Amino acid sequence: MIPAAFDYARPDTLDEAVRTLHDGGEDAKVLAGGQSLIPILRLRLAFPELLVDLGRIPELRGVREDPATGSLVIGAMTTHHDVIHDPLVRRHAGLLAAATETVADPAVRHRGTLGGSLSHADPAGDLPAVLLALDGEMVAVGPRGRRTLPAREFFLDYLRTALAEDEVLVEIRVPRTDGWGFHYEKFSRVAQGWAVVGVAALVRRDDGRVAEARIGLTNMGTTPLRASATEAALAGAGAGPDAVAHAAEAAAEGTRPASDLSATPAYRAHLARVLTRRAVLAAAGTGRR
Amino acid sequence: MTHISMTVDGTRYEDEVEPRLLLIHYLRDHLGLTGTPVGCDTSNCGACTVELDGDSVKSCNVLAVQADGGEVTTVQGLASDGAWTPLQTAFHEQHALQCGYCTPGMIMAARDLLGENPDPTPEEIRHGLEGNLCRCTGYQNIVRAVLAAAAEERRRRAPAPRPAGAGRPDGRPEGAPATAGQEART
């Protein structure tokens, strides 16, 4: 399968990328790692007239610490492989490293990028729910300047984000979660498969109890969601199997999972409850996976 | 058309290509390097795996223009002077293929895995090869082949030769199964 013809630009700077994207209008599309976009082009599900390849803009790669806030600043074009192996990410945002290890397979992780995954906003993608659980922020640059969007405001609908057509996601800011337990529990049909449902859990414990829990849900609606009812039930509750199982019963509240070849909405709701229990217990360090 | 240049299996090429040209089609149709097959064409099966700038990639999921300036190694570039690498030898000796269609991709993915982890467990090999599908073997012999190749590569890199069967320096048993004929092929 061969994509429809398109023009190709490979800017060296972010300014040039934004200008090229703006001039290309609605028929221009950003190419990050291409691991979602190229299959879409090959299947002719999209027909952009211009691809703007961000692959040669050095400032969009790498991980650093923001000295003012201590948050991690991850360049949007940092590959999954580099995220997984980055010492700052492993030390201060372990949930992101752990979840990224479950994305696709090693070859895809060599090319695919964090920013590309988030901008693509596939409801079955693992990383949007992780950024939602981490209370991350997306920094976008366009012709009208730079703006920062909380993860909660970034994902709008199926494959749709708050990015304007001429805006580029340049970096992802992740607050440190030092001292939090974490786990990403994913259910998929085959080894490299998309998540039928995934649950990203962060748990901060205070002695034997849960001080705070943050839970992101993958593929339980057209956007990633927080399991707010379960989070509320866990706050101050015991961290043992019974209390966690009880709180996890509310994991699917307020969700609207899709029906597709992999699962019915009712089955996805069941998975959300089971996987949330497992993820929270693993994150709290009080249960087996 | 876009001008590209890249080194493939040690040879430098320059070409004018359409931006939509996939790397796999550039390798096969423009350069005639048909040792790398197209499998599923949907980036699932991994048959088309090659190395780009030191990393395994699925070449049906990379545009040729993205590889501009890069260095590509295909399965055809592994042997030197007709001598197979330990991975190639192990795939042959452990009978890690039946139809052979997935083999170029399996070997390139396994090479990437051993580059990062020279002493993998069977479980780590299965995870490392999760992007490569084989519909014949059930993977058992592929895992055995990668274990055998890893052991052979470690043996070749070891500073001082050790007698066969002496185990690792840490006293753990060798990961690779002892297989008749393993030493026969050079």
Side-chain angles (χ1 to χ4, degrees):
Chain A
M1 290 169 283
I2 296 169
F6 50 78
D7 291 329
Y8 174 77
R10 194 172 62 209
D12 298 319
T13 67
L14 180 58
D15 283 352
E16 193 188 336
V18 168
R19 207 163 42 242
T20 309
L21 205 53
H22 179 71
D23 293 346
E26 62 179 14
D27 295 321
K29 186 110 182 101
V30 168
L31 172 64
Q35 300 303 288
S36 295
L37 180 57
I38 293 175
I40 286 171
L41 297 177
R42 275 193 332 229
L43 295 167
R44 303 219 175 184
L45 299 173
F47 302 88
E49 289 185 2
L50 170 68
L51 286 194
V52 182
D53 182 356
L54 304 183
R56 306 290 167 101
I57 305 175
E59 69 195 84
L60 295 183
R61 276 180 196 266
V63 182
R64 60 187 172 84
E65 271 178 295
D66 177 359
T69 61
S71 290
L72 300 190
V73 182
I74 305 172
M77 287 293 291
T78 308
T79 63
H80 299 314
H81 180 268
D82 288 350
V83 166
I84 291 166
H85 291 93
D86 185 86
L88 287 173
V89 173
R90 297 190 81 85
R91 197 174 319 132
H92 303 301
L95 175 63
L96 179 59
T100 305
E101 285 186 40
T102 76
V103 172
D105 58 65
V108 168
R109 293 195 293 267
H110 282 140
R111 299 289 301 172
T113 65
L114 176 57
S117 292
L118 299 175
S119 304
H120 184 51
D122 192 314
D126 302 294
L127 303 177
V130 170
L131 265 290
L132 200 60
L134 285 166
D135 281 337
E137 293 176 323
M138 322 301 178
V139 180
V141 170
R144 295 161 302 283
R146 190 180 179 94
R147 62 187 181 126
T148 302
L149 294 151
R152 280 177 186 275
E153 298 170 19
F154 185 77
F155 303 103
L156 300 184
D157 202 349
Y158 181 75
L159 303 183
R160 203 161 73 80
T161 69
L163 289 172
E165 277 168 354
D166 54 5
E167 268 184 322
V168 175
L169 176 62
V170 295
E171 62 193 34
I172 296 94
R173 304 177 74 90
V174 179
R176 290 179 182 209
T177 44
D178 301 16
W180 290 67
F182 59 85
H183 187 75
Y184 186 66
E185 185 77 15
K186 173 174 175 172
F187 185 83
S188 50
R189 290 189 306 130
V190 294
Q192 56 175 338
W194 293 90
V196 178
V197 172
V199 177
L202 281 166
V203 173
R204 188 165 56 82
R205 285 182 61 182
D206 187 6
D207 294 328
R209 309 191 80 75
V210 174
E212 188 182 354
R214 297 196 216 143
I215 299 159
L217 303 174
T218 297
N219 219 3
M220 286 299 290
T222 56
T223 65
L225 298 166
R226 288 277 287 263
S228 308
T230 295
E231 291 178 1
L234 283 170
D242 292 343
V244 170
H246 181 71
E249 284 302 307
E253 276 184 22
T255 64
R256 294 190 61 188
S259 181
D260 59 24
L261 286 173
S262 296
T264 60
Y267 182 52
R268 283 204 160 89
H270 167 75
L271 283 176
R273 291 188 285 269
V274 172
L275 303 183
T276 295
R277 172 171 53 78
R278 292 181 189 167
V280 170
L281 284 173
T286 44
R288 289 178 26 221
R289 273 188 81 233
Chain B
M1 302 292 266
T2 302
H3 183 83
I4 59 168
S5 67
M6 71 179 82
T7 302
V8 182
D9 295 338
T11 305
R12 184 102 181 142
Y13 297 93
E14 303 233 357
D15 263 306
E16 300 290 327
V17 300
E18 276 193 281
R20 64 172 165 169
L21 182 71
L22 301 169
L23 179 58
I24 182 62
H25 293 142
Y26 180 66
L27 296 172
R28 290 177 58 85
D29 302 344
H30 289 236
L31 305 186
L33 296 172
T34 52
T36 305
V38 180
C40 67
D41 215 3
T42 55
S43 81
N44 280 289
C45 81
C48 67
T49 303
V50 301
E51 187 183 284
L52 171 59
D53 294 330
D55 290 327
S56 62
V57 302
K58 293 180 171 181
S59 61
C60 77
N61 220 15
V62 177
L63 300 172
V65 290
Q66 289 179 288
D68 179 27
E71 190 158 331
V72 175
T73 304
T74 77
V75 73
Q76 286 174 263
L78 297 184
S80 61
D81 297 330
W84 286 351
T85 61
L87 260 174
Q88 290 171 301
T89 303
F91 267 65
H92 179 250
E93 290 182 345
Q94 303 291 332
H95 197 60
L97 56 139
Q98 289 179 29
C99 85
Y101 206 86
C102 71
T103 308
M106 283 289 175
I107 287 180
M108 296 310 290
R111 181 179 140 93
D112 189 88
L113 167 70
L114 295 183
E116 289 205 352
N117 181 358
D119 191 8
T121 64
E123 190 63 22
E124 287 168 339
I125 292 170
R126 288 174 185 277
H127 275 294
L129 299 181
E130 69 187 347
N132 295 73
L133 304 182
C134 172
R135 302 290 76 169
C136 306
T137 70
Y139 303 101
Q140 303 291 350
N141 288 355
I142 292 173
V143 173
R144 285 190 193 110
V146 177
L147 285 169
E152 172 61 15
E153 287 180 7
R154 288 197 306 276
R155 189 187 67 79
R156 289 188 185 188
R157 274 197 306 271
R162 287 182 289 118
R168 301 176 189 173
D170 60 7
R172 291 164 65 199
E174 287 288 358
T179 303
Q182 194 166 314
E183 281 78 36
R185 189 184 183 93
T186 50

